[in-house]
Amino acid sequence: MKLNIDGLLVYFPYDYIYPEQYSYMLELKRTLDAKGHGVLEMPSGTGKTISLLSLIVAYQRTYPLEVTKLIYCSRTVPEIEKVIEELRKLMEFYTKETGEKNNFLALALSSRKNLCIHPEILHANIVVYSYHYLLDPKIADLVSKELAKKSVVVFDEAHNIDNVCIDSMSVNITRRTLDRCQTNVETLQNTIQRIKETDAAKLREEYRRLVEGLKEANVARETDIYLSNPVLPDEILQEAVPGSIRTAEHFVGFLKRFLEYLKARLRIHHVVQESSPQFLKDIYEKVCIDRKPLRFCAERLRSLLRTLEIADIADFSAVTLISNFATLVSTYSKGFTIIIEPFEDKTPTIVNPVLHFSCMDPSIAIKPVFERFQSVIITSGTLSPLDIYPRILDFRPVTMASFTMTLARTCLCPLIVGRGNDQVAMSSKFETREDFAVIRNYGNLLLEMSAIVPDGIVAFFTSYVYMENIVASWYEQGILENIQRNKLIFIETQDAAETSMALEKYQEACENGRGAILLSVARGKVSEGIDFVHHFGRAVIMFGVPYVYTQSRILKARLEYLRDQFQIRENDFLTFDAMRHAAQCVGRAIRGKTDYGLMIFADKRYARADKRGKLPRWIQEHITDGSLNLTIDETVQLSKHFLRQMAQPFRREDQLGLSLLTLEQLQSEEMLQKISQIAQQV
Amino acid sequence: MDEEPERAKRWEGGYERTWEVLKEDESGSLRATVEDILFQAKRKRVFESHGQVRLGMMRHLYVVIDSSRTMEDQDLKPNRLTSTLKLMEYFVEEYFDQNPISQIGIITTKNKRAEKLTDLAGNPKKHIAAMKKAVNSMCVGEPSLYNALNIAMQTLKHMPGHTSREILVIFSSLTTCDPANIYDLIKTLKALKIRVSVIGLSAEVRVCTVLTRETGGNYNVILDESHFKELLMYHVKPPPASSSSECSLIRMGFPQHIIASLSDQDAKPSFSMSHLESSDGGPGLTLGGYYCPQCRAKYTELPVECKVCGLTLVSAPHLARSFHHLFPLDAFQEHPLEEHKGDRCAYTIKVFTCPACSSVFCTDCDLFIHDTLHCCPSCIHRQGTS
């Protein structure tokens, strides 16, 4: 159908439209008009992708000078493929409607095997790829730096964007890394030696170039062609590479010294935590390495690798990592911390020293993106509370909106279970998590649910350790055996192969009427990337509040930083983080309007306003007073009722006019009134 | 101390939130919307039966009754099994009333096995007696959908092509324990044109959804006992026959009921053929009866298949009773209430008018007329007077 979105003609490739899609497009248009950034939350399964694509493509066609390119960033390969599928539909619709030949070029960069040809990007109207191409400085430099300024960037499924940013800027160095680095450096040395004998002119040429400095890059950046790379700060570009690392041999010698220093630092028996300036001071005192050459380390290495014409960069990942670390540590005095631990938290007896160079400020990695592109849209099914994202990513959005799901029937049923039938409070909080009664009640909850929920149930625990403890305890109490009379049990483990095997069998059991329970962990693979549509997830049970492991030093440092820099209290951030993961977990079950599922929050702390208020609006509005602090029995009764109601035949006609609209219905005055209430501005 | 899920007493049973039933439905609360959808479905059912569709008038139906552990659940009173069997008795009677030339059989499944309770037969008494006996049987273990369907299929596949082959599963459990891949069986069922419908007693199970969708049956889940009854009654009506089913002429006998007059000295009491096999004897010798026009075998009851020559024996009223299925009453037109203020029964938001005589009826009357009377009382009344 052809829509009129606030004066803009939008081609929408379907005959029906959800009201929230219309509302979403309105907000999006407003963001593009203002040439600003936006944060938009819309439940999954309501056609976010196609709304985004149709509006932005229409915008591009109408105002070709205002918006030249759409950069669509998604998380995983299947998601990228889904986007491409929708895009293809849209393009076919355009061709059919307008009759003219399609001159749009879209490009998807999914994996290495179909990697891009560089100049193509420059002409493509739409680019679809993974976050990392834009955020990770190592890759962004290769792929994204020549994208035009007048582009619209969309981050889909962006609820974890801060963690992606942080990961892309953090470096972990173990002994293994250093050993491999050692080999790298030796290879470099040999190659230099060889080239010196055969083609000394090449090295001289490089030297000359370095004397001239990184002018080229500087010119490019000033003339606004490149996306700036956070690893390559502006100041560097104006200077020449310092003399001490200009010749190839000197640089290799320099690397060796740096490596020896790192090795020495890893020889420790207790935890060390220090800031970047402290580290630089120490390195100067111990091995006389100045700050300046360190800053040029990454750039110098790149130049050397280019000169030596080494094709297989992958082999040199270790030395690249070290040089990136050198540059980062000497460039940023704030926002990073260095933690050296002699062993991992889980295995305190095995010596395995790690140097964590950890970024605490996600805004560093994403800053160039916000600065460079005129509109950046951050969107996901779960972004609540919306206002925290602009704070931690340090940007100013022009629109922030949360959309609800219009439903012809209430297809989600969030229930907060706070007590067992014996009235003992259920909670995963630290003091009571070992409590026998709590574990038994959790077991009974799962047992009772397994008897009334058809097909698949997905249960999430707060951590692997907690899950193991509970399951062991259930086994001893015989609860597990009783559950297995109703359904098969599968468990997610840290082993990816094992998990995907379990997942496959789980789906098979759901398919053929055997019924199954999948026990998994919030923040695990299952909670993030895998959808449990229809019968694969008729109920999701969230055992406890998935707080992040708070004893981790990296986390502590980050919390401190957030408090000092952004005035976000530790508790607020932890709760926000826990709730977004809980929302992600329970959101797995509802993947569209015809889907239905129970969402069971098994912890009395969920009933508190500070937790509940942080759930996405589309879940929150279905939590009534009657669904708070329930006992197991009450939960079972409510669930039974819900499941029977939902099993009644539900056809497309039932949705029509309520949650699914034709063009005429959309244009009615009354409906437009209703639509204006779907979006809630923050 | 493990809590046993079984509850012995009524007062220990689930919370019945009766007050919620009375809840007023502002802002489209759950109950209101779902009920709305149900109402629409009800109306649709009325409409669906219209138009010229071929109906399978000779039906062979197997009813599979789940007798697994879950049938002891007390959300139907006194428990699911008793409630189901009681409704089934009613269903069987109603079934033969509306489908006089059809047959029914009952299969139960528990403990991962399935067994035939009664064979396909056209006599309601036998089935009802068997079900009365089954009330006291134990509900144990898990059901096996595969085994139950397989037993039904073994018999149904030999039924002639012009009759309808149907299975109705009353499924209480949420799981099934199958010896082989059920999807292969579903394919076979589909190929044999056996229509499987399921009535779920607890929730929507995926495998039943696929089963019914593939074989062209219906899948419904009950809300409460009255809804259960309604869903069962829906299966009393013959389903539309698939266009690919065979057409054939069937030989039928219409025997007269002959009672030898008492004055006739030659009259001798004789046995009915149908009593020969049944051991419980019954009345045994009678004077009168129906005599097969082909072989003169005597039967006391109709309809029946002649034991001697295999001819189907029916009486004319039997066929007449199935007549309304073929020529159903036209759907009434729907109007908002305002247009008909003050007319007879009008409690509802919508009123319905008969297209022939334009009398006005409420929703319930509309359903009653279409489901039970099969003719418009107003029209009949007019015919009578004119």
Side-chain angles (χ1 to χ4, degrees), chain A residues 224-239:
Chain A
D224 206 44
I225 300 172
Y226 288 171
L227 168 71
S228 60
N229 179 347
V231 180
L232 192 64
D234 280 333
E235 307 92 83
I236 291 192
L237 300 175
Q238 275 131 35
E239 299 170 43

Side-chain angles (χ1 to χ4, degrees), chain A residues 606-630:
Chain A
Y606 282 112
R608 282 193 221 145
D610 71 313
K611 304 276 187 306
R612 206 160 23 111
K614 288 193 170 68
L615 284 172
R617 194 167 145 236
W618 58 276
I619 297 179
Q620 225 183 102
E621 66 180 5
H622 294 291
I623 304 181
T624 56
D625 288 343
S627 49
L628 298 179
N629 202 18
L630 304 168

Side-chain angles (χ1 to χ4, degrees), chain B residues 204-225:
Chain B
E204 183 189 350
V205 181
R206 172 68 182 180
V207 73
C208 297
T209 317
V210 178
L211 172 67
T212 50
R213 194 183 58 210
E214 288 299 307
T215 59
N218 294 85
Y219 184 28
N220 292 95
V221 174
I222 64 160
L223 288 173
D224 49 34
E225 197 165 339

Side-chain angles (χ1 to χ4, degrees), chain A residues 96-263:
Chain A
K96 207 181 88 194
E97 285 295 307
T98 58
E100 60 193 59
K101 192 94 176 71
N102 185 355
N103 51 4
F104 253 63
L105 180 62
L107 194 70
L109 307 179
S110 51
S111 61
R112 191 169 293 203
K113 70 169 183 259
N114 35 12
L115 195 67
C116 70
I117 290 86
H118 191 64
E120 283 277 303
I121 290 198
L122 291 171
H123 307 296
N125 301 86
I126 300 166
V127 183
V128 185
Y129 54 35
S130 152
Y131 282 10
H132 299 280
Y133 287 120
L134 207 53
L135 292 179
D136 195 328
K138 292 150 235 159
I139 316 173
D141 224 33
L142 289 174
V143 181
S144 311
K145 66 178 178 183
E146 293 184 17
L147 295 174
K149 185 168 172 25
K150 284 182 177 172
S151 304
V152 177
V153 178
V154 175
F155 288 103
D156 200 356
E157 303 290 329
H159 47 272
N160 268 342
I161 195 166
D162 54 320
N163 291 336
V164 176
C165 291
I166 281 177
D167 287 345
S168 72
M169 295 294 278
S170 299
V171 179
N172 292 329
I173 299 169
T174 58
R175 275 203 184 141
R176 228 175 96 79
T177 328
L178 292 182
D179 289 343
R180 278 176 48 218
C181 192
Q182 183 88 41
T183 348
N184 287 167
V185 172
E186 272 158 25
T187 326
L188 277 181
Q189 199 171 12
N190 293 341
T191 323
I192 291 168
Q193 202 61 42
R194 211 176 56 235
I195 288 198
K196 213 169 175 188
E197 284 157 14
T198 58
D199 195 3
K202 211 181 199 175
L203 288 172
R204 271 202 303 281
E205 165 65 17
E206 188 203 18
Y207 183 83
R208 196 191 53 74
R209 226 176 37 232
L210 293 174
V211 174
E212 285 194 9
L214 305 166
K215 267 186 201 146
E216 238 174 281
N218 193 25
V219 168
R221 189 173 293 184
E222 272 174 2
T223 51
D224 206 44
I225 300 172
Y226 288 171
L227 168 71
S228 60
N229 179 347
V231 180
L232 192 64
D234 280 333
E235 307 92 83
I236 291 192
L237 300 175
Q238 275 131 35
E239 299 170 43
V241 173
S244 57
I245 55 168
R246 230 176 268 168
T247 62
E249 289 110 325
H250 290 172
F251 179 59
V252 169
F254 167 85
L255 276 180
K256 274 186 178 165
R257 239 177 357 181
F258 183 56
L259 210 56
E260 282 310 315
Y261 171 74
L262 288 179
K263 274 188 185 161

Side-chain angles (χ1 to χ4, degrees), chain B residues 57 96-100 315-325:
Chain B
M57 299 293 284
F96 283 113
D97 191 51
Q98 305 252 333
N99 307 279
S315 69
H318 281 137
L319 282 184
R321 246 189 284 159
S322 347
F323 182 75
H324 73 259
H325 295 307

Side-chain angles (χ1 to χ4, degrees), chain A residues 407-411 421-422 440 444 447-455 477-479 482 485-487 510-515 534-535 538 596 626 630-631 633-634 636-638 640-651 653-654 658, chain B residues 1-5 7 12-17 20 28-31 33-35 37-38 40-41 44 69-70 73-76 80 142 174-178 181-183 200-207 210 219-224 227 231:
Chain A
L407 294 168
R409 55 170 192 176
T410 318
C411 69
N421 290 336
D422 50 6
R440 191 191 56 217
N444 281 339
L447 174 61
E448 300 262 333
M449 293 313 286
S450 72
I452 59 154
V453 177
D455 303 325
Q477 295 174 41
I479 294 177
N482 285 335
R485 275 166 58 194
N486 297 326
K487 286 190 194 303
C510 294
E511 193 70 50
N512 66 20
R514 178 59 263 187
H534 296 290
H535 56 290
R538 282 295 179 221
Y596 66 87
L630 304 168
T631 65
D633 259 359
E634 287 165 336
V636 167
Q637 290 307 322
L638 286 173
K640 255 186 172 176
H641 185 73
F642 172 76
L643 288 169
R644 284 213 172 120
Q645 294 269 354
M646 286 303 117
Q648 300 312 312
F650 184 64
R651 293 176 314 267
E653 301 91 79
D654 299 324
L658 283 169
Chain B
M1 259 196 332
D2 281 332
E3 250 176 63
E4 280 299 307
R7 298 191 189 87
E12 288 174 11
Y15 306 91
E16 279 164 60
R17 301 181 162 235
E20 281 191 355
S29 71
L30 175 92
R31 211 181 153 75
T33 52
V34 171
E35 234 149 52
I37 291 169
L38 276 185
Q40 289 299 335
K44 201 174 166 220
R69 178 158 47 88
T70 51
D73 200 312
Q74 294 177 335
D75 52 2
L76 298 176
R80 284 187 187 174
E142 286 178 90
L174 294 172
T175 59
T176 154
C177 187
D178 299 334
N181 188 354
I182 192 156
Y183 286 89
L201 301 190
S202 13
E204 183 189 350
V205 181
R206 172 68 182 180
V207 73
V210 178
Y219 184 28
N220 292 95
V221 174
I222 64 160
L223 288 173
D224 49 34
H227 188 221
L231 292 175

Side-chain angles (χ1 to χ4, degrees), chain B residues 135-183:
Chain B
V135 171
N136 296 321
S137 66
M138 287 283 287
C139 297
V140 278
E142 286 178 90
S144 173
L145 201 54
Y146 185 98
N147 288 340
L149 292 176
N150 199 26
I151 287 189
M153 188 182 78
Q154 294 308 337
T155 314
L156 286 178
K157 71 177 173 193
H158 299 300
M159 294 300 143
H162 60 265
T163 63
S164 84
R165 305 160 175 180
E166 297 168 62
I167 302 175
L168 171 65
V169 185
I170 314 255
F171 202 56
S172 154
S173 172
L174 294 172
T175 59
T176 154
C177 187
D178 299 334
N181 188 354
I182 192 156
Y183 286 89

